[in-house]
Amino acid sequence: MSKSKWLNEVAQALRRQRLPRSYIRRFTDELADHFDDFYHTHTHSQEKIGMDAEAHTARLGAPEEIARRAARELQGRTYAGRH
């Protein structure tokens, strides 16, 4: 799966979790940065040459699982979410 398709699926899954738009934007921007860092770091190493975007998205996780974890994390940050 391409990076952009994967990020779009993550964003859709986050919307289904009813997370704030501003949080979704920041979260997907950060994921894109992590993806780029991971991709550029590992494609320069000898053992990782040839890994493509599909391998990176698989390693980062399924969009639905990422959204569930993000929702739990955000709830844990707020007073209302903790109580």
Side-chain angles (χ1 to χ4, degrees):
M1 180 182 314
S2 72
K3 171 188 163 185
S4 61
K5 183 176 179 185
W6 182 78
L7 286 171
N8 285 335
E9 287 186 16
V10 170
Q12 289 173 358
L14 292 167
R15 284 191 287 278
R16 286 191 292 275
Q17 293 287 330
R18 299 178 187 250
L19 297 176
R21 288 181 190 262
S22 60
Y23 179 81
I24 293 170
R25 175 75 169 194
R26 283 191 314 271
F27 191 83
T28 55
D29 286 349
E30 189 171 329
L31 278 177
D33 289 344
H34 284 299
F35 184 98
D36 291 341
D37 289 344
F38 180 83
Y39 184 78
H40 293 298
T41 299
H42 289 89
T43 55
H44 294 318
S45 69
Q46 289 293 346
E47 64 189 65
K48 300 292 182 179
I49 292 175
M51 287 186 76
D52 59 2
E54 188 170 326
H56 295 302
T57 57
R59 196 166 213 180
L60 290 170
E64 289 296 330
E65 180 58 28
I66 290 171
R68 282 191 294 273
R69 289 180 182 186
R72 282 193 303 259
E73 178 68 26
L74 184 62
Q75 288 172 347
R77 291 182 187 178
T78 64
Y79 179 80
R82 289 189 306 270
H83 300 283

